[in-house]
Amino acid sequence: HGFLRRAAIPLASIESVEAVPLLLEGPEKAAYRRDAHVLAAAGPPQLRLTLKSPLPALGLFGGRHPKGRVILAVDDPLALRAALSV
């Protein structure tokens, strides 16, 4: 997966939350992840946050280009969606 990145995402900056499709492969997977920070240490990502405006993610070598989506792997995606309730 490469180096893990992190991002501070204010709740007010989240426009929408959606489940990541399970069966994406090859070019479809690359297109889905384009313009997104992927924040997943292990396992497949389950949620994609669409942001109201692009935010940077921090990595080993500093900030990354701002992107308008964040793809996450979390322990309980249903609970996170309910907590965000956007």
Side-chain angles (χ1 to χ4, degrees), residues 40-75:
Q46 302 109 333
L47 295 176
R48 181 170 78 169
L49 310 179
T50 299
L51 308 175
K52 293 177 183 173
S53 60
L55 293 174
L58 299 175
L60 182 64
F61 301 110
R64 302 280 301 202
H65 299 289
K67 296 184 179 186
R69 293 184 189 85
V70 178
I71 296 174
L72 304 169
V74 297
D75 292 333

Side-chain angles (χ1 to χ4, degrees), residues 19-25 29 32 44-46:
V20 172
L22 296 176
L23 301 175
L24 294 178
E25 290 297 328
K29 183 177 180 179
Y32 190 82
Q46 302 109 333

